[in-house]
Amino acid sequence: MSIPSSPAGSGLLGQLLLSRQLISAQDLERALAAQRQLGVRLGKALVRLGALSEDSLLPVLAEHLGVSLISEEELKARAGDIQQTAGQHGLASAWLAEQGVAVFEAADGVMHAVSRDPLNPYVQETLTAALPRHRWTWLLMRGRDQEWLAKLLAPASQDGGVGDEAAHLRELAEEAPVIELVNNLLAQATDEKASDIHVEPQEHEFAIRFRVDGVLRQRATYPAERFAAVASRIKLVAGLDIAERRLPQDGRISLRVSGVDMDVRVSALPGVYGESIVMRLLPKNRSDFSLERLGMEADHLRQFMVWAEEPHGIVLVTGPTGSGKSTTLYSALGIVNDGQRKIITVEDPVEYRMRGITQIQTQAEIGYSFARALRAVLRQDPDIIMVGEIRDRETAEIAVQSALTGHMVFSTLHTNDAISTFTRLIDMGVEPFLVSSSVRAVEAQRLVRRLCPDCAKPVELPQGLKPQIQAIEARFPELCKEPARWLQASGCAQCQFTGYRGRLGIYELVEVDAAIQEAVTRRAPAHEMLALARQQGFRSLREDGLLKARRGLSSVDEILRVTGALDHALEAAEAVELP
């Protein structure tokens, strides 16, 4: 009979996790204290405290216990065997579901028991007493598979009704399995370097999706009956009203997940089948605020460093939501944060904390807007101001006045490209001569996925792109000294079989020189201003992306997906005849 005996102690598991650098000594100390207080096993205490995810814990735990970890695919492939074994041997399905145990008989007659806790003596003794003539092998199961197992074994036992009372919702949210599920989702998302978690209710189930490298991936589905408990748990810890399900709500969670201190922004939006909940994951401490690491080419990097050191004026970073604008601004602040200048930021929300900088959180619900905060900031004698976003005319005008009175202003704006920024500011109501005299430079950007270095494969450049690549190589010979290295995505276990791992930026930069100042003042069309920028050495987002694809950092398909296959703006600009 192959039943695992209790290991020598939880300390051995802790030391094993420490030796593999999955947890810190401080994490282990906190978990041991929680273990004594709550009476749970060490692994469960570590997951609950957010020291590591279940996916990181279970392979080590299986090794520690001397059992095998069964995969989700293998377990589900055994669905028929699990039901058949329970029926043939008179095992009560409701009891198995309650204990979270699956039993199936292998071809060699060995009985396999799958559980989240193979050491549970009650389950061990009950099963071996029920089937004393069988040899037993115990397997370890993931927590997310327990919902599926319970539904398979005893679908009628699922709770079919959820009350609307706040007390009942709070009670659901405080159940241990719900707490563990939500904590584990956060830990798994952190391990996979996801930027967002989407909890999306449907008619008969709800889906969990992670946004990884800018692309949503399905992570799990659960029965619709469990949604109220999960949504209530998330809303409870985010400080939202768990009884309010008709109006949008926003909240925030600060916690430690997989050993990372994290701020989580929570948005709940009512839908037809329930509230869609999105959690944005923001690590509190980041060391990657470096423009080189973000993917700026050498010429762009030199140009941006010069702009950052300007004594006054506005530098704008533009692009859609999720294009990395805030990260670029924090990188710029890191350049100028020398301890000799007063730097103040006005943000909604404050995404990352930085030493030596005064950071202000706006509060729209009490009337503390960007414009109002910016007026107060000017009385603080700042040298450099960072405005999270210019959203309206009032904020834009104050930013312009700040730049014209000797302050350096960094901010973001939502536009599709760099040249459109001038038109956008004028459309907001700022006078063209104020735009041209205050804005020093504009940078537009997007994020593209990096090719996985473990599985990327060589590919021939498409014939249709060869003329464009030759033109780029002729215009930027200093960036094309190395031979071209065109690669395409393949897919492996390291990149979750997507072919990509991580992201990098592609950029276009426009400096406001005398010619562009004059064009902005007289409201020249965008294609004329773009033609003037081309004379400076401007390259478009797509051209910058193709340079990165040429170096094998990303694929041509990915660049065209993000920037589009055609660049009509450049075609129009090249047709302009300048004096």
Side-chain angles (χ1 to χ4, degrees):
M1 184 182 299
S2 177
I3 295 179
S5 58
S6 179
S10 58
L12 292 178
L13 174 61
Q15 293 303 319
L16 199 55
L17 292 168
L18 277 175
S19 68
R20 301 191 181 179
Q21 299 182 333
L22 293 173
I23 61 172
S24 66
Q26 184 181 5
D27 290 330
L28 179 57
E29 189 177 332
R30 289 171 58 229
L32 289 170
Q35 182 187 22
R36 290 190 293 269
Q37 183 179 354
L38 301 174
V40 297
R41 298 198 187 279
L42 178 67
K44 183 171 285 191
L46 285 165
V47 172
R48 282 195 181 184
L49 291 171
L52 80 171
S53 69
E54 188 183 57
D55 283 349
S56 298
L57 167 71
L58 290 186
V60 182
L61 180 60
E63 179 183 333
H64 174 62
L65 298 178
V67 299
S68 297
L69 176 63
I70 191 168
S71 68
E72 180 180 358
E73 295 75 17
E74 185 181 353
L75 182 63
K76 290 185 177 180
R78 291 282 187 177
D81 296 336
I82 291 168
Q83 290 175 316
Q84 183 179 355
T85 301
Q88 282 182 348
H89 296 282
L91 299 174
S93 294
W95 181 85
L96 291 171
E98 182 183 346
Q99 298 300 323
V101 179
V103 177
F104 62 87
E105 190 171 2
D108 57 2
V110 176
M111 202 65 71
H112 290 67
V114 185
S115 172
R116 293 188 65 198
D117 185 6
L119 298 184
N120 188 324
Y122 168 61
V123 174
Q124 286 184 1
E125 291 168 9
T126 303
L127 289 177
T128 53
L131 301 172
R133 297 181 180 179
H134 286 78
R135 290 186 298 121
W136 287 87
T137 294
W138 288 75
L139 304 172
L140 190 61
M141 172 177 68
R142 290 174 170 82
R144 62 176 176 265
D145 297 331
Q146 192 166 353
E147 285 283 351
W148 171 84
L149 181 62
K151 194 171 182 180
L152 174 73
L153 291 170
S157 69
Q158 297 296 306
D159 184 9
V162 178
D164 292 332
E165 300 85 0
H168 181 56
L169 291 172
R170 186 177 295 274
E171 185 179 318
L172 289 174
E174 295 291 355
E175 291 178 354
V178 176
I179 295 173
E180 192 172 336
L181 172 61
V182 173
N183 287 354
N184 202 38
L185 283 177
L186 289 163
Q188 288 169 1
T190 302
D191 286 350
E192 294 182 25
K193 295 182 171 54
S195 60
D196 304 85
I197 302 172
H198 292 245
V199 184
E200 301 170 332
Q202 300 298 326
E203 186 174 3
H204 302 296
E205 60 187 17
F206 70 96
I208 305 292
R209 297 201 289 171
F210 293 170
R211 188 178 293 280
V212 181
D213 297 336
V215 177
L216 281 171
R217 299 179 189 171
Q218 184 93 352
R219 194 65 178 80
T221 58
Y222 296 95
E225 293 82 4
R226 303 295 292 164
F227 176 73
V230 172
S232 297
R233 178 63 192 172
I234 295 169
K235 290 166 69 176
L236 184 66
V237 295
L240 305 182
D241 183 354
I242 60 175
E244 178 56 75
R245 291 180 290 181
R246 299 165 300 171
L247 297 172
Q249 296 188 76
D250 294 301
R252 195 179 191 116
I253 309 169
S254 290
L255 73 170
R256 184 174 177 81
V257 187
S258 281
V260 179
D261 291 321
M262 190 82 69
D263 274 336
V264 182
R265 287 160 49 190
V266 179
S267 170
L269 181 68
V272 174
Y273 297 112
E275 293 170 292
S276 170
I277 296 177
V278 177
M279 294 179 279
R280 168 66 60 89
L281 308 181
L282 301 167
K284 287 184 179 179
N285 301 308
R286 290 187 55 176
S287 58
D288 59 348
F289 290 132
S290 160
L291 294 173
E292 293 105 321
R293 290 189 63 179
L294 293 175
M296 271 198 181
E297 299 291 345
D299 58 339
H300 279 175
L301 184 60
R302 287 192 299 269
Q303 198 171 1
F304 196 90
M305 296 280 279
V306 171
W307 294 350
E309 295 291 350
E310 288 282 333
H312 54 81
I314 300 176
V315 172
L316 291 169
V317 178
T318 75
T321 301
S323 59
K325 300 186 298 296
S326 296
T327 304
T328 299
L329 285 183
Y330 281 110
S331 300
L333 293 182
I335 294 170
V336 299
N337 186 17
D338 56 6
Q340 299 178 11
R341 288 173 278 195
K342 175 78 170 182
I343 303 174
I344 302 179
T345 73
V346 181
E347 305 170 68
D348 180 25
V350 175
E351 294 191 6
Y352 307 108
R353 310 295 200 267
M354 294 191 75
R355 285 175 174 263
I357 293 176
T358 302
Q359 295 176 274
I360 297 170
Q361 167 79 56
T362 63
Q363 303 282 348
E365 60 272 13
I366 60 172
Y368 192 38
S369 62
F370 275 106
R372 186 171 178 182
L374 201 46
R375 287 195 190 92
V377 162
L378 292 174
R379 294 192 286 272
Q380 290 278 310
D381 187 32
D383 297 295
I384 297 168
I385 303 168
M386 192 268 270
V387 184
E389 183 184 345
I390 294 178
R391 297 178 177 174
D392 52 42
R393 174 180 177 176
E394 189 177 12
T395 306
E397 288 181 339
I398 298 171
V400 167
Q401 292 301 325
S402 301
L404 294 176
T405 53
H407 302 90
M408 188 66 206
V409 180
F410 296 100
S411 190
T412 71
L413 200 65
H414 284 281
T415 62
N416 288 328
D417 54 53
I419 292 295
S420 301
T421 301
F422 306 110
T423 305
R424 175 86 176 103
L425 288 171
I426 293 170
D427 287 345
M428 279 184 175
V430 183
E431 292 293 336
F433 74 91
L434 291 176
V435 173
S436 64
S437 56
S438 61
V439 177
R440 286 283 175 268
V442 181
E443 179 247 280
Q445 65 182 66
R446 297 289 190 280
L447 292 177
V448 297
R449 292 178 292 173
R450 287 182 185 268
L451 283 166
C452 174
D454 295 314
C455 64
K457 295 180 178 178
V459 67
E460 288 292 325
L461 177 66
Q463 289 293 327
L465 282 177
K466 285 188 176 180
Q468 187 173 0
I469 296 300
Q470 290 169 354
I472 293 172
E473 290 172 340
R475 290 189 67 225
F476 304 101
E478 72 281 3
L479 301 176
C480 302
K481 294 177 181 177
E482 299 295 327
R485 185 168 173 259
W486 303 101
L487 300 174
Q488 66 178 356
S490 178
C492 65
Q494 298 298 320
C495 60
Q496 305 284 323
F497 298 97
T498 63
Y500 298 95
R501 201 165 74 204
R503 289 192 289 178
L504 73 159
I506 56 174
Y507 305 90
E508 60 182 34
L509 278 64
V510 175
E511 185 167 0
V512 182
D513 58 11
I516 291 182
Q517 273 188 327
E518 188 273 333
V520 172
T521 302
R522 62 181 171 84
R523 300 183 186 228
H527 61 269
E528 183 181 330
M529 285 191 278
L530 184 55
L532 292 169
R534 297 286 281 181
Q535 290 186 337
Q536 299 177 358
F538 168 93
R539 63 176 174 271
S540 68
L541 290 167
R542 187 168 59 146
E543 290 175 322
D544 195 51
L546 289 173
L547 276 175
K548 290 174 171 61
R550 184 183 182 277
R551 289 164 50 198
L553 299 177
S554 190
S555 67
V556 171
D557 289 343
E558 174 69 3
I559 301 304
L560 297 183
R561 180 187 73 85
V562 172
T563 64
L566 300 175
D567 206 332
H568 298 295
L570 281 184
E571 293 173 5
E574 287 168 359
V576 174
E577 293 186 8
L578 295 173

